[in-house]
Amino acid sequence: MHLISLSSLAIATLGIYSFLLLATLATAITTRGRPDSGLRPRVYAWWVIAPVITASLLAYPLGVLAFALLIAGLALKDICRLSAKPAQTLGYAALIAMTIALIVMRQPARAALVLGCVYWLAYLFFLLSKHRQACLLIAWCWTGCGLGFLYLLTADAVIGTESRLPWLFFLIVCTCLNDVAQYLTGTQFGKHKVVASISPNKTVQGLIGGMLFSAMFCMLLGSYLQLASLPWLCAIGIWLAIAGFCGDLLFSAVKRRLGIKDFSNLIPGHGGILDRADSLMLTAPALYVALRILQ
């Protein structure tokens, strides 16, 4: 990794924390006198989430693997807790995880195609099955595939070694900020529901707002990190916004089928780890596909 890339990442990270500090101060001021505001814990939780992400990127590449394992472990804990037969669910989940790990690590050149097929097969099975345990295992399968693509972004030979860490930074930051942008624009301007039966809070206005913000931010961050041309960065920003929106909808559909609001209350204002990382489970494969085309 060139020193210029590392310094650019460091400056970009400081910019993210500066933005978070301003958002925290704005939240504290605007919600003063309303200690029960749901916005406060939602914003304050980022002071726990952001350092975890930063530490994982600082310890690249092992840190990214540890980050993926942390998400997987917390997700599995929630899935087993929600299952009527946790021991059986744990056994099936372990089998799925080992299969995905073997595919990704032993056959990285073919892993993307296999994982993509698994995604679609799981989705078709979700449409056909309404069994509680099946829904939980499908959510786990999507999680495993998403994390598999996250690993591929650190291991695929098509992606240059020196650009892997900047692209991972780009992916995680853009995914998080897209979620925030869709939430804020949807809350302020949302009128037309996308799929009210699955996620009543998802609106057309929120999606469009997220796409516009994501496109602008991806062009800004991507050009600063010298990742690609502006047209490509704009297209990737819109692509990631759509993927993140769909990832949120997929896991919302699982929660609706299970009759729950959140997978857990692990992260105040956000829910469980899958409530926070659901978008990443589709933005990681979306970015991987974009980079394969770009390269």
Side-chain angles (χ1 to χ4, degrees), residues 246-260:
C246 292
D248 197 333
L249 280 182
L250 280 178
F251 284 87
S252 292
V254 172
K255 289 186 288 185
R256 180 69 64 172
R257 186 76 61 83
L258 296 173
I260 59 174

Side-chain angles (χ1 to χ4, degrees), residues 116 119-120 149 153 167 170-171 174-175 178-179 182 207-208 210-219 230-248 279-294:
Y119 253 118
W120 281 106
F149 275 104
L153 288 169
W167 274 117
F170 175 90
L171 167 68
C174 291
T175 298
N178 171 62
D179 286 347
Q182 289 193 15
L207 174 59
I208 294 174
M211 290 169 63
L212 292 175
F213 179 86
S214 183
M216 290 187 291
F217 183 79
C218 285
M219 286 191 291
L230 284 179
W232 261 110
L233 291 170
C234 179
I236 289 174
I238 295 172
W239 176 232
L240 290 182
I242 295 172
F245 185 85
C246 292
D248 197 333
S279 299
L280 184 62
M281 298 309 124
L282 270 190
T283 57
L287 180 62
Y288 179 84
V289 171
L291 292 183
R292 293 284 295 196
I293 296 172
L294 181 62

Side-chain angles (χ1 to χ4, degrees), residues 134-194:
C135 291
L136 290 169
L137 289 173
I138 288 168
W140 172 248
C141 191
W142 285 333
T143 302
C145 290
L147 295 177
F149 275 104
L150 190 67
Y151 173 80
L152 287 178
L153 288 169
T154 71
D156 196 304
V158 175
I159 304 170
T161 304
E162 294 182 353
S163 64
R164 290 174 186 172
L165 180 56
W167 274 117
L168 280 170
F169 178 84
F170 175 90
L171 167 68
I172 295 174
V173 172
C174 291
T175 298
C176 292
L177 290 181
N178 171 62
D179 286 347
V180 173
Q182 289 193 15
Y183 172 77
L184 292 177
T185 54
T187 301
Q188 294 297 320
F189 309 108
K191 293 181 180 179
H192 303 91
K193 310 291 185 184
V194 177

Side-chain angles (χ1 to χ4, degrees), residues 38-56:
L39 185 60
R40 280 191 174 190
R42 193 176 186 92
V43 173
Y44 296 168
W46 283 105
W47 286 105
V48 177
I49 299 171
V52 171
I53 295 173
T54 303
S56 69

Side-chain angles (χ1 to χ4, degrees), residues 105-120:
M105 294 183 178
R106 298 294 294 273
Q107 297 289 336
R110 303 174 183 175
L113 179 60
V114 175
L115 292 179
C117 292
V118 172
Y119 253 118
W120 281 106

